[in-house]
Amino acid sequence: MNTTDIIRPKTLNDFIGQQDIAMEVKIALHSARSRNDAFPHTIFSGAPGLGKTSLAEIIAAEMDVPFFPVLGASIRDEEGLRNILSQLPSDGYDMQTGNIVLPGKVKHAIIFIDEIHRMKKSLTELLHTALEDFKLSMKIRNPLTGKMQSGLYWMPKFTLIGATNYLGVLPRPFVDRFMIQSCFEPYTEDEIIQIAHHSAKKLNLDIVSEAIAEMASKSRGVPRILNRFLLRARDVAIYTGANRITQETVQEMFQIQNIDELGLTKLDRRVLEYLAAVIRPIGIGAISQAVDEDQNTIENLVEPWLVRLRLMVKTSQGRQITELGLQHLGQELQQSRFLKA
Ligand code: ADP
């Protein structure tokens, strides 16, 4: 098992925070299991690293069904979609009619499409009948006539779980077919601290509470960022021969990673510096070009943190640096001048 797998929560009890979502999942799990039915189609939205994949995997584990993960962008055409659906186990079904003959054998597998907004609209439309009636409209060559013929073909009942940070981009009729629609929010600092304690325990790390608090305060409410800090702090401790991770270890790790006292990375500061240079409100496209980073990263990882720290604002005219943002850059500038002197 790799480190990411070791840290990943495996059960609903292990899954910290997102209480409303966890409760909705718990109820749906209980209902599906007691009716021996599939888990309802679900769409999870929210920024990267907040636990969408982890929760989808937990649902599959709790339902004791196969889990097939796939990236939305990798489903290029009808054939690609059919290939994914053809993995669904048909145990317990009569292959000719599609009727269930051995209910005890049926496994309602889960297909997990990450970044589902990257699927073509025509493919999401093709999925409508699959999601509702577990039938897929396909063109198949008739072996007698040799001609292509379209028809509706059955498939084993399954659950589709989609994950996206761009729910609004998905066609409404497609989204409406998902019975559970949940939006993941950044975690509170207390929740991130709890996650850090769990991860440290799973990794057998000796770490002081102050070190965890320091990392949590810079994790942006995102467990993936916290786990990354934890692993890098472990590396620094190993490198320096320390047998426990202390606040000094964490500070050294932040210094090596070029993360400042507010938790800003080099990229955050480049964005802020660009905003300081242009002063007027500016669009995301221009920022992306100026700092040479893709828009998704800036929108999902950089901006929410800068906005939360009130270093920049987003208005209908564009993004703009705040007085606090300018002050922070000023302090940094003074500090680096002082260090150089
Ligand atoms: P997403 O699919 O939203 O990008 P992931 O499910 O891959 O996010 O989560 C990233 C990592 O953060 C996981 O590997 C896991 O270790 C950790 N994580 C996410 N959510 C939680 C949580 N609620 N409790 C504990 N760990 C979590």
Side-chain angles (χ1 to χ4, degrees):
M1 221 194 276
N2 64 32
T3 322
T4 317
D5 288 334
I6 295 172
I7 308 181
R8 215 185 259 286
K10 307 284 182 308
T11 63
L12 213 47
N13 279 343
D14 217 14
F15 190 84
I16 294 154
Q18 310 291 346
Q19 268 136 4
D20 296 348
I21 303 177
M23 183 48 89
E24 193 170 14
V25 165
K26 195 172 177 176
I27 292 169
L29 271 173
H30 185 77
S31 168
R33 275 192 308 230
S34 54
R35 289 178 295 105
N36 207 4
D37 200 356
F39 190 85
H41 300 309
T42 297
I43 195 139
F44 289 147
S45 58
L50 291 182
K52 301 182 292 298
T53 310
S54 302
L55 192 52
E57 283 188 9
I58 288 172
I59 293 170
E62 302 261 359
M63 290 289 295
D64 188 25
V65 298
F67 183 75
F68 300 109
V70 61
L71 269 176
S74 70
I75 313 172
R76 297 214 171 80
D77 48 24
E78 283 189 35
E79 199 188 338
L81 188 59
R82 273 203 302 275
N83 286 343
I84 288 156
L85 295 171
S86 68
Q87 299 176 90
L88 294 169
S90 53
D91 310 55
Y93 282 88
D94 172 349
M95 294 301 282
Q96 298 303 316
T97 60
N99 293 330
I100 293 176
V101 281
L102 293 168
K105 292 255 176 209
V106 173
K107 289 270 184 203
H108 300 111
I110 292 179
I111 294 179
F112 175 70
I113 307 184
D114 200 6
E115 300 199 356
I116 196 165
H117 60 274
R118 298 187 67 188
M119 272 178 81
K120 283 189 201 133
K121 186 166 177 248
S122 59
L123 295 179
T124 63
E125 281 167 358
L126 204 62
L127 270 174
H128 288 180
T129 51
L131 294 180
E132 278 178 342
D133 306 321
F134 304 99
K135 292 202 170 105
L136 191 65
S137 155
M138 280 192 278
K139 280 203 176 97
I140 291 191
R141 194 174 298 282
N142 184 318
L144 297 176
T145 62
K147 286 190 182 151
M148 294 302 280
Q149 190 175 303
S150 59
L152 274 181
Y153 296 86
W154 76 273
M155 70 182 70
K157 194 169 181 181
F158 71 104
T159 301
L160 178 63
I161 302 184
T164 178
N165 192 24
Y166 295 94
L167 192 63
V169 170
L170 283 167
R172 200 65 237 173
F174 182 53
V175 175
D176 285 344
R177 284 170 166 84
F178 291 85
M179 290 302 116
I180 297 180
Q181 302 179 9
S182 305
C183 178
F184 282 60
E185 299 291 341
Y187 292 72
T188 63
E189 214 160 294
D190 280 350
E191 288 166 346
I192 290 285
I193 288 175
Q194 266 190 66
I195 293 175
H197 279 289
H198 277 235
S199 298
K201 199 166 161 205
K202 286 180 189 164
L203 293 167
N204 255 325
L205 299 179
D206 187 359
I207 179 164
V208 303
S209 307
E210 292 79 10
I212 286 190
E214 173 107 31
M215 287 189 285
S217 71
K218 293 179 177 159
S219 294
R220 308 173 181 217
V222 180
R224 185 180 287 143
I225 299 182
L226 177 273
N227 284 335
R228 199 176 64 226
F229 288 160
L230 197 59
L231 292 172
R232 297 292 70 80
R234 173 204 61 186
D235 293 348
V236 172
I238 293 173
Y239 186 76
T240 55
N243 46 16
R244 105 185 313 205
I245 300 172
T246 62
Q247 219 173 342
E248 287 73 43
T249 324
V250 169
Q251 280 159 1
E252 203 172 333
M253 180 269 294
F254 281 137
Q255 208 173 12
I256 294 165
Q257 298 220 354
N258 237 310
I259 292 171
D260 69 20
E261 70 286 355
L262 284 186
L264 302 195
T265 62
K266 245 171 145 175
L267 176 62
D268 300 326
R269 289 193 297 270
R270 266 172 35 225
V271 169
L272 218 49
E273 277 157 14
Y274 178 66
L275 293 178
V278 292
I279 292 289
R280 70 195 150 79
I282 195 94
I284 181 77
I287 299 174
S288 155
Q289 272 196 338
V291 301
D292 197 21
E293 185 59 70
D294 73 278
Q295 286 192 20
N296 276 359
T297 308
I298 296 174
E299 270 185 306
N300 291 321
L301 296 174
V302 176
E303 287 186 348
W305 189 238
L306 294 182
V307 169
R308 195 152 135 185
L309 293 177
R310 291 194 255 142
L311 302 177
M312 68 164 262
V313 283
K314 272 166 94 168
T315 66
S316 52
Q317 280 100 46
R319 283 82 171 151
Q320 203 164 8
I321 192 162
T322 61
E323 195 59 46
L324 262 181
L326 285 169
Q327 266 175 31
H328 182 65
L329 284 182
Q331 278 165 10
E332 284 217 323
L333 220 63
Q334 271 174 11
Q335 239 171 32
S336 58
R337 278 195 195 124
F338 176 72
L339 287 176
K340 271 185 209 143

